[in-house]
Amino acid sequence: MTVDHLAGSRWAHVAERLPAHLEDLSGPTTGAVELPLHLAWSGLRRFDVSDEKLLLGLYRIVLTNGLRDDLIGYLNTELLVRHWPRLRIALGKPVRTCWEQRFPELVAAVAA
């Protein structure tokens, strides 16, 4: 499934909200993050970035539900690339496909 194919689907918003460059992701690398209600409307809203399990949960929520500004503000390039091999398993195929087609460095992280 290509990004062009996704443009005509219910997942078109996934491709449209991606940052222009992976390096645009400037989220925190330490500390606690509290997600707003438009991202985490049910369950856990506060995540400790140093706890891998919580970090993966935070990133899954933001990748799945976030708008472009959310992606840029809550995700960090280095952490996303480092944890992509595990994180991609928790994402739906359309989200995973959009990110991997736009950013080949994520595919490289899986192959490493």
Side-chain angles (χ1 to χ4, degrees):
M1 186 176 293
T2 66
V3 173
D4 289 338
H5 176 73
L6 289 171
S9 77
R10 70 184 186 103
W11 293 99
H13 69 282
V14 175
E16 293 169 0
R17 65 189 170 90
L18 294 179
H21 307 282
L22 200 57
E23 294 77 23
D24 293 344
L25 304 177
S26 59
T29 58
T30 60
V33 172
E34 185 165 343
L35 291 178
L37 287 173
H38 77 271
L39 289 175
W41 54 89
S42 170
L44 188 63
R45 291 186 51 215
R46 188 171 174 84
F47 301 84
D48 180 349
V49 176
S50 65
D51 181 315
E52 184 176 8
K53 183 177 178 181
L54 292 177
L55 175 76
L56 293 174
L58 165 72
Y59 275 42
R60 183 187 55 75
I61 291 168
V62 175
L63 287 162
T64 303
N65 302 315
L67 303 173
R68 181 173 291 152
D69 287 346
D70 297 319
L71 299 170
I72 291 169
Y74 292 111
L75 304 179
N76 175 275
T77 304
E78 180 184 332
L79 291 176
L80 180 65
V81 172
R82 181 184 323 148
H83 294 284
W84 188 255
R86 285 192 60 209
L87 183 58
R88 70 185 301 274
I89 295 166
L91 299 173
K93 186 175 180 178
V95 174
R96 180 176 61 241
T97 300
C98 280
W99 279 85
E100 289 182 347
Q101 286 184 349
R102 177 77 57 92
F103 305 113
E105 51 267 63
L106 295 175
V107 177
V110 173

